[in-house]
Amino acid sequence: MTSGIVLLLFLSGVAGGVINALAGGATLLTFPAMLAAGLPPITANASNAVAIVPGHLLAVLADRGKVLPLDAKLWSSVLVCLLGGAIGALLLLALPERLFVLPVPALIGIATLLFLFSPRIAAWAEARRGDAGPSRGLGLSVLGLSSIYGGFFGAGLGVILTAVLSIADPDDIRRVKALKNLLATSVSMAAVVIFIAERAVRWPETLTMLSGALLGGYLGGTLVRVLPAIVVRWFVIVTGAAMTIVYAVKYWS
């Protein structure tokens, strides 16, 4: 790697760590940075997943005050997410490179829209308190599909899981957020294990970004007290929109 690539990945990791700490959505910045560093798209996606997985773990630890009941419902959800994350990762690795690059602009665009409308999704979930949820089987099926997406790409997974869990459990939004963090971690860890086992990760680039992300997560914990989250949110949204256009031109023109 050149010094410029090292700096790009490290600073992207720092920015991603700060963004995850303040608002979420780091993948919309870090995945394009991996592409800009010259990694093939599938390798970039796998390496990015490894580099940002500590963010999910930190989110779980940050909300450890909300104790989740260790019941069959929780374990079945975790198992579904582990399986879904692994399936999504295997699907990604099985695809020819040319078939993965085609949906990349759409994936980034959809994730950006999910991030843009996440406050409305949260408000919708709050408004549904007390409504009857769907059957457990249907809930697990939708959770499984969401997990496969998370293992395949991952951007916007937190928003998707929040919506899915809010349908099934609309009465406790704090529990939904804690469960979302745990399940997102399960999806990410399953995918990361597959990516590492299949040697799909480029370690120099990954470790460079990971070191920046750890620093960014620490800085984000400090900035959260002084930097308005709305500023970070719109930075992520604008970045995601710009990356959608850039890669649409690159892969679709």
Side-chain angles (χ1 to χ4, degrees):
M1 291 187 295
T2 66
S3 57
I5 294 299
V6 170
L7 185 62
L8 168 68
L9 293 174
F10 181 78
L11 292 180
S12 297
V14 172
V18 171
I19 287 169
N20 265 347
L22 295 177
T27 297
L28 293 173
L29 177 65
T30 55
F31 173 64
M34 285 289 192
L35 291 175
L39 272 64
I42 290 179
T43 303
N45 192 32
S47 300
N48 177 71
V50 176
I52 66 171
V53 74
H56 294 300
L57 293 172
L58 291 174
V60 171
L61 294 175
D63 204 21
R64 61 186 179 277
K66 180 63 177 180
V67 179
L68 297 172
L70 300 178
D71 54 15
K73 184 177 181 180
L74 175 65
W75 288 117
S76 62
S77 296
V78 170
L79 179 60
V80 165
C81 285
L82 288 172
L83 290 174
I87 291 171
L90 290 171
L91 178 61
L92 172 73
L93 296 179
L95 277 181
E97 195 82 44
R98 59 184 177 81
L99 294 183
F100 176 69
V101 298
L102 289 177
V104 161
L107 290 170
I108 296 176
I110 291 170
T112 303
L113 289 174
L114 284 170
F115 194 72
L116 173 63
F117 291 108
S118 60
R120 295 189 182 184
I121 293 173
W124 167 81
E126 183 72 17
R128 290 195 71 259
R129 285 174 179 258
D131 290 356
S135 68
R136 181 61 180 159
L138 177 59
L140 287 176
S141 298
V142 176
L143 183 62
L145 291 174
S146 303
S147 301
I148 291 172
Y149 164 80
F152 183 82
F153 188 60
L157 177 62
V159 178
I160 294 172
L161 288 178
T162 298
V164 171
L165 295 172
S166 296
I167 294 172
D169 186 10
D171 295 325
D172 188 349
I173 198 64
R174 174 78 187 282
R175 182 181 186 278
V176 164
K177 290 181 178 179
L179 185 56
K180 177 264 294 182
N181 291 332
L182 175 62
L183 297 184
T185 300
S186 300
V187 173
S188 298
M189 292 302 295
V192 162
V193 168
I194 296 293
F195 293 147
I196 293 174
E198 294 296 323
R199 299 182 179 181
V201 178
R202 282 273 290 271
W203 286 108
E205 290 85 351
T206 299
L207 293 177
T208 301
M209 180 174 284
L210 175 59
S211 62
L214 292 174
L215 175 60
Y218 176 79
L219 292 175
T222 302
L223 291 174
V224 71
R225 295 191 291 269
V226 295
L227 185 63
I230 188 65
V231 173
V232 180
R233 273 187 50 78
W234 278 104
F235 173 77
V236 174
I237 291 165
V238 171
T239 299
M243 292 300 99
T244 300
I245 296 171
V246 167
Y247 288 106
V249 171
K250 182 175 181 178
Y251 296 135
W252 292 350
S253 62

